[in-house]
Amino acid sequence: MPPTEPNALHWLDRWHAFWSGLPVPDFLWPQMLWLLLALPLLVLFYLWMQGRRRKLAVRYASLSLVREALGKGPGWRRHLPPLLLLLALAAMLVAAARPVAVIALPSQQQTIMLAIDVSASMRATDVKPNRLVAAQDSAKSFIAQLPRTVRVGVVAFAGSAQVAQLPTQSRDDLMTAIDSFQLQRGTATGNGLMLALATLFPNSGIDIASLGMGPRGGPRLSPLDAQANDTPKPPPPPVAPGSYSSAAIVMLTDGQRTTGVDPLEAAQIAADRGVRIYTVGVGTREGDTIGFEGWSMRVRLDEDTLKAVAAKTNGEYFFAGSAPDLKRVYDTLSSRLAVEKRETEVSALFALAGAAFALLATLLSMWWFHRVA
């Protein structure tokens, strides 16, 4: 039996899917669209002028003499320049209505904090050659793909957290910081997020000293963090999750929290400041058994928490079960963070289209009829 042809409903569905994927403009001055009603009147006026032209031609004594004098008529070419001018006028009227649409534009994010798990479980070899090396290689590849104008900071966390590199545009300093990771016991995912937020927002009321990250309670603080603790300020009023477009946090971890701040509480603080958190879970879902300094343990991903952290901040969760998966995740993140969709006025595009139509109409009229109109 020959294969059946797609029915009409199938093609209608595909047509609808195509158009629904296009940006649909809204308008800041929609009242200007009423001027488009004048275009049909211009078409009627043009048709009336064409009829009047024919009537004037009939006044000649002999139509054959007229045809012989005029030669072969311009045909369809006579109507093309007016049609282009009509399209130009329509595009300019739409531009006057100030259309806005959601389109992909270069991201405004200027700072990205990488919070990377350096707990002992990162020595597991279910991700070759091991989770830590795969994470380091992928993180360096991710940084290399970002625009040079983007500053990147690095936070390393295990049982506690430290700023491995303050936000910088120096790719060499970032590579050095990532290569200097050392494995430690414990997994304090919440502490890693809190320290990343404190680095992004110094003097914003995030008291990292109370989290065991002060000079005596954990790794050293950067001068930026110390300043935040010396002159704390009350937290700012909450904003919409994901609304802060100048910074984002990317957290990579392979296990469950064993100490420190609840990552969901840290995620709520990030959400109140509008910062998106993109979480990356590295390692196989069934987990792995690792040994470290005479003891062994079974480690597995806490995907539910990672998904909840990302969802609370309007971010996204990614699973990376192998080194190639991890590289693909970072490639995806690089494209997401370099380009973002946002509502933007596109009046200039319609004005440009109108100018192009008008210019083409003028050129064709001069070429064919040796006059502008």
Side-chain angles (χ1 to χ4, degrees), residues 305-347:
T305 299
L306 295 179
K307 291 176 181 178
V309 167
K312 189 178 287 289
T313 62
N314 203 20
E316 192 171 351
Y317 167 71
F318 299 90
F319 168 72
S322 65
D325 287 345
L326 187 56
K327 185 179 185 305
R328 282 192 291 270
V329 166
Y330 272 116
D331 289 343
T332 302
L333 280 170
S334 177
S335 61
R336 298 271 179 91
L337 295 173
V339 177
E340 64 180 352
K341 291 184 177 181
R342 61 179 183 268
E343 190 175 67
T344 306
E345 185 173 347
V346 292
S347 303

Side-chain angles (χ1 to χ4, degrees), residues 228-285:
N229 288 328
D230 290 341
T231 56
K233 293 183 179 180
V239 298
S243 60
Y244 186 73
S245 59
S246 296
I249 297 174
V250 178
M251 182 179 73
L252 181 145
T253 182
D254 71 335
Q256 298 175 320
R257 174 181 71 101
T258 60
T259 185
V261 180
D262 186 339
L264 292 178
E265 294 180 6
Q268 185 60 57
I269 295 175
D272 290 343
R273 286 163 172 76
V275 178
R276 295 175 191 256
I277 299 177
Y278 297 88
T279 55
V280 181
V282 60
T284 55
R285 287 191 169 96

Side-chain angles (χ1 to χ4, degrees), residues 49-362:
M49 290 292 294
Q50 293 300 309
R52 184 170 177 271
R53 180 175 177 275
R54 295 190 190 95
K55 290 180 181 180
L56 291 175
V58 173
R59 295 179 183 179
Y60 287 91
S62 174
L63 291 178
S64 60
L65 293 176
V66 175
R67 294 191 185 96
E68 184 177 350
L70 294 177
K72 185 179 180 181
W76 60 270
R77 293 185 300 175
R78 182 176 62 205
H79 306 294
L80 184 57
L83 175 61
L84 291 173
L85 286 175
L86 186 70
L87 293 175
L89 183 58
M92 291 179 182
L93 289 176
V94 173
R98 298 184 62 188
V100 294
V102 178
I103 57 177
L105 293 172
S107 175
Q108 294 179 338
Q109 288 170 344
Q110 301 172 353
T111 306
I112 296 175
M113 291 298 302
L114 291 178
I116 300 179
D117 190 344
V118 294
S119 60
S121 57
M122 290 290 285
R123 67 171 54 239
T125 58
D126 53 348
V127 178
K128 303 299 182 183
N130 63 47
R131 295 177 181 179
L132 180 62
V133 173
Q136 289 173 310
D137 292 342
S138 300
K140 289 188 286 188
S141 175
F142 166 72
I143 292 171
Q145 294 179 52
L146 292 174
R148 299 292 298 185
T149 55
V150 176
R151 298 190 309 152
V152 181
V154 181
V155 168
F157 66 90
S160 57
Q162 71 174 22
V163 178
Q165 175 60 57
L166 290 171
T168 179
Q169 294 179 351
S170 172
R171 290 349 189 199
D172 292 337
D173 290 346
L174 290 166
M175 303 305 174
T176 300
I178 291 173
D179 286 335
S180 66
F181 287 164
Q182 294 183 355
L183 296 176
Q184 305 170 29
R185 291 187 179 183
T187 304
T189 51
N191 288 29
L193 292 176
M194 291 294 292
L195 189 53
L197 284 169
T199 306
L200 288 173
F201 301 101
N203 306 325
S204 64
I206 301 177
D207 185 11
I208 57 176
S210 65
L211 305 176
M213 290 182 281
R216 295 185 180 179
R220 60 178 176 82
L221 287 173
S222 68
L224 194 64
D225 302 318
Q227 182 185 8
N229 288 328
D230 290 341
T231 56
K233 293 183 179 180
V239 298
S243 60
Y244 186 73
S245 59
S246 296
I249 297 174
V250 178
M251 182 179 73
L252 181 145
T253 182
D254 71 335
Q256 298 175 320
R257 174 181 71 101
T258 60
T259 185
V261 180
D262 186 339
L264 292 178
E265 294 180 6
Q268 185 60 57
I269 295 175
D272 290 343
R273 286 163 172 76
V275 178
R276 295 175 191 256
I277 299 177
Y278 297 88
T279 55
V280 181
V282 60
T284 55
R285 287 191 169 96
E286 59 272 15
D288 195 12
T289 301
I290 57 111
F292 184 64
E293 295 182 354
W295 55 270
S296 64
M297 64 177 296
R298 183 80 176 174
V299 292
R300 65 177 67 242
L301 275 175
D302 184 6
E303 286 194 290
D304 292 339
T305 299
L306 295 179
K307 291 176 181 178
V309 167
K312 189 178 287 289
T313 62
N314 203 20
E316 192 171 351
Y317 167 71
F318 299 90
F319 168 72
S322 65
D325 287 345
L326 187 56
K327 185 179 185 305
R328 282 192 291 270
V329 166
Y330 272 116
D331 289 343
T332 302
L333 280 170
S334 177
S335 61
R336 298 271 179 91
L337 295 173
V339 177
E340 64 180 352
K341 291 184 177 181
R342 61 179 183 268
E343 190 175 67
T344 306
E345 185 173 347
V346 292
S347 303
L349 297 179
F350 285 92
L352 180 62
F357 283 133
L359 178 61
L360 182 59
T362 301

